[in-house]
Amino acid sequence: MKKILSILIFTFLISGFSQAQYYKPNMQLIVKGVMNAPFYEPISENTSDNAFIGFQVEPVVNLSSHWGIFGTFNMGFIPSKDIARPQGTGSFKYSVSNEYSGYGGARYYFAPEDGRYIKVYVDAAAGVYSFNPSDAVFTSTTNPTYTKTFTFPGATQIGMNVGGGLNVNLSPGLFLNFGARFHNLFKKSDQTLTSTVVYNNGTPTEETTVIQDIPNRNYLQITAGLGFRFGL
C-alpha cells in the first residue's frame, strides 16, 4: 500500500512539474457590467436601498493552469430615494450617489485552460470600499427664490469578498465572463461624520458633526462581461 501511495504522489508531483514547465502564463483584461443587491440600510438620507448597477475593469494574471491573481476596480451608481420631492415651501432634488471599490486576491480554476471551451473558477479577495453620497438641493417656491445644498458624509470601509464564475471561450484571445460575488464590509466604530447645509442667499452655512459607528454592510454582486487574453 505504501508503495502504491508513493507511486501516486510521485506521479502527481511529476505531472504538476511537467504542467508548470509547459504552461505559458497569460494576462486577461475583463470589462464587466454589474448588478448589486444590497443587504444594508441606505447609506444616507437621500439614497435608496434598491439594487444598483455599475461597471468593473479586472486585470488577471494566470500563473498556471489552475492558479491566477486578479485585481478589480469597481464603480457603482446608487439611486436616490426620489429624483424630486416636494416639501413645504419648495422641493428637494436628488442625484445618483457613487460607490468605488478596489480589491485583489487569488483565483483557482477547476479545469486546465488548454483545450477547454468553458473554465469554472472560485476566488477570494480583500480591498477598500468607499461610498460617496450625492448632495441634495432644496429649491424654494418663495419670492425671492433661494436654494439650500445639503451635503452628506461619505464612508470608507475595509472588506473581503468571495466569488465564482466561468469563462466561455470565443477564440484564443476573446471570451465571455459570468460571475457572482458576495461582499462583507467590516464595521468601523466611533467615526466623526460631518454634514453641511449651504445657502445661496447669504445665510451662514450650517454644519453638524456627529460621532457614530459605520455598520457592517453586505451585498451580492452579479456580473457579465467580455474578456481579452494576452500572452506574457
Side-chain angles (χ1 to χ4, degrees):
M1 184 66 183
K2 288 183 179 179
K3 288 185 177 180
I4 295 175
L5 186 59
S6 299
I7 292 172
L8 289 174
I9 293 174
F10 179 75
T11 302
F12 174 78
L13 291 175
I14 292 297
S15 175
F17 179 72
S18 176
Q19 186 183 62
Q21 279 188 314
Y22 290 104
Y23 183 83
K24 184 178 180 181
N26 63 73
M27 180 177 179
Q28 299 170 350
L29 183 64
I30 310 173
V31 181
K32 306 179 185 181
V34 179
M35 177 61 72
N36 302 283
F39 303 122
Y40 52 80
E41 295 297 318
I43 61 171
S44 72
E45 296 178 13
N46 67 327
T47 57
S48 74
D49 56 0
N50 295 329
F52 60 96
I53 61 173
F55 70 90
Q56 293 179 348
V57 176
E58 183 178 277
V60 184
V61 176
N62 293 318
L63 304 173
S64 74
S65 59
H66 284 288
W67 287 101
I69 55 176
F70 72 99
T72 303
F73 306 93
N74 177 87
M75 182 175 182
F77 306 98
I78 305 171
S80 63
K81 288 181 178 178
D82 300 288
I83 300 302
R85 182 172 61 190
Q87 183 171 327
T89 57
S91 63
F92 276 96
K93 183 177 181 180
Y94 303 97
S95 56
V96 173
S97 299
N98 294 316
E99 179 263 329
Y100 303 98
S101 58
Y103 46 86
R107 177 164 293 170
Y108 178 80
Y109 298 96
F110 287 102
E113 183 169 342
D114 295 339
R116 302 282 181 170
Y117 290 105
I118 296 178
K119 193 165 186 182
V120 179
Y121 62 84
V122 293
D123 56 36
V128 179
Y129 300 75
S130 178
F131 295 88
N132 297 275
S134 66
D135 297 340
V137 179
F138 174 83
T139 302
S140 74
T141 54
T142 59
N143 190 11
T145 298
Y146 69 92
T147 63
K148 294 191 296 183
T149 301
F150 294 76
T151 64
F152 302 94
T156 300
Q157 294 171 263
I158 301 298
M160 298 184 69
N161 60 73
V162 292
L166 61 88
N167 295 334
V168 180
N169 290 329
L170 301 177
S171 71
L174 190 67
F175 60 93
L176 298 176
N177 173 268
F178 303 95
R181 186 172 301 278
F182 183 79
H183 298 262
N184 179 55
L185 281 58
F186 303 133
K187 175 182 176 180
K188 294 176 69 175
S189 301
D190 300 328
Q191 300 298 299
T192 301
L193 306 175
T194 301
S195 302
T196 63
V197 181
V198 180
Y199 296 80
N200 75 335
N201 60 358
T203 301
T205 297
E206 301 171 5
E207 187 173 285
T208 303
T209 299
V210 297
I211 297 178
Q212 66 183 46
D213 295 343
I214 298 175
N216 167 258
R217 294 184 172 117
N218 300 302
Y219 65 95
L220 177 66
Q221 197 171 63
I222 305 297
T223 63
L226 186 64
F228 306 88
R229 187 179 292 110
F230 312 92
L232 292 178

